[in-house]
Amino acid sequence: MTGAATWRRLLAEFAGTALLVTAVVGSGVMATTLSPDDVGLQLLENSIATAFALAALILTFGPVSGAHFNPVVSAADWFLGRRTGTGLTAAQLGGYVLAQTAGAIAGSVLANLMFGLAAVDLSSKERAGGHLWLGEVVATAGLILLVFALARSGRAAVAPAAVGAYIGAAYWFTSSTSFANPAVTIGRACTDTFAGIAPASVPGFVVAQLIGAVVGTGLLLALYPGVGAAAGEVVVPDTSEESVR
């Protein structure tokens, strides 16, 4: 991979993750403003905006970087593809994780500023407890299973709609409202709004997400033994070297 292609991929992961967190945080602020007395409606508004934004961002950045926007997706991509020479290398994985985490923080700052809040306002919303961590295990395992199963079965083209739909649904069927992303979790600690998470609650969520990634990867290997060959197609095929110039 050329240096130019690497630069584009990291920029795409940074920008895509930033805009994803901007959508999550910004729609949460708007929801609480428009529906101040109805938490259920707030969650509905937040989840719909997030699902639509995620699908659009995958369509936008997928051809450049694969649109991972998530360290556990990138880690699974590296792990599953390391024996077949597909997916990310270890060095690329490190770059992706840094870009995604920096992007998530930047996205939270951007959303805060758009709504006239302090650029960084650490969240006071505690999210801790075994039931929430279990929700994160389930949400993350399901996400990993979905994106790699789509790639392995040759259906990566529907990933934008499928991943957006899954995350939108997981807002409702998991107790944790489906963060399912360590970078996004860190970014959401920087805003004391509807979508925030207290910094002290971040480690528990991240550990649960890592466990979920392991569970999801184990299920993949059991259900799709040749999944490693499709690692380069996650979330959508990366065509940066061929067509993005």
Side-chain angles (χ1 to χ4, degrees):
M1 179 180 295
T2 66
T6 299
W7 177 83
R8 291 190 186 104
R9 289 173 66 148
L10 295 180
L11 178 59
E13 287 297 302
F14 173 86
T17 310
L19 290 172
L20 173 60
V21 174
T22 299
V24 173
V25 174
S27 63
V29 176
M30 185 64 79
T32 55
T33 301
L34 297 177
S35 310
D37 301 318
D38 192 333
V39 177
L41 186 55
Q42 292 169 11
L43 185 62
L44 179 63
E45 293 161 348
N46 189 212
S47 63
I48 290 174
T50 299
F52 284 173
L54 180 55
L57 291 170
I58 293 172
L59 286 170
T60 302
F61 296 105
V64 182
S65 68
H68 293 187
F69 309 152
N70 189 333
V72 295
V73 172
S74 298
D77 188 62
W78 163 77
F79 177 79
L80 292 170
R82 73 194 192 288
R83 293 179 180 175
T84 56
T86 57
L88 300 177
T89 66
Q92 290 163 355
L93 171 60
Y96 266 47
V97 171
L98 289 175
Q100 291 157 355
T101 304
I105 295 171
S108 190
V109 170
L110 177 58
N112 285 340
L113 292 175
M114 282 200 300
F115 286 92
L117 306 173
V120 176
D121 187 12
L122 297 181
S123 178
S124 59
K125 184 174 293 187
E126 295 185 4
R127 300 178 188 259
H131 65 296
L132 297 180
W133 299 331
L134 178 59
E136 280 301 286
V137 171
V138 171
T140 309
L143 177 64
I144 295 294
L145 185 60
L146 171 64
V147 296
F148 284 90
L150 289 174
R152 181 65 182 92
S153 59
R155 295 174 294 162
V158 304
V163 174
Y166 174 79
I167 292 298
Y171 260 76
W172 291 90
F173 72 72
T174 64
S175 57
S176 62
T177 66
S178 183
F179 285 48
N181 185 325
V184 167
T185 303
I186 292 170
R188 289 171 65 167
C190 299
T191 181
D192 195 19
T193 60
F194 180 79
I197 177 173
S201 299
V202 169
F205 264 54
V206 171
V207 169
Q209 290 155 1
L210 294 175
I211 294 171
V214 172
V215 172
T217 301
L219 286 171
L220 277 167
L221 291 172
L223 296 170
Y224 297 91
V227 67
E233 306 295 308
V234 173
V235 172
V236 297
D238 166 21
T239 57
S240 57
E241 292 183 89
E242 292 78 15
S243 61
V244 182
R245 298 190 184 278

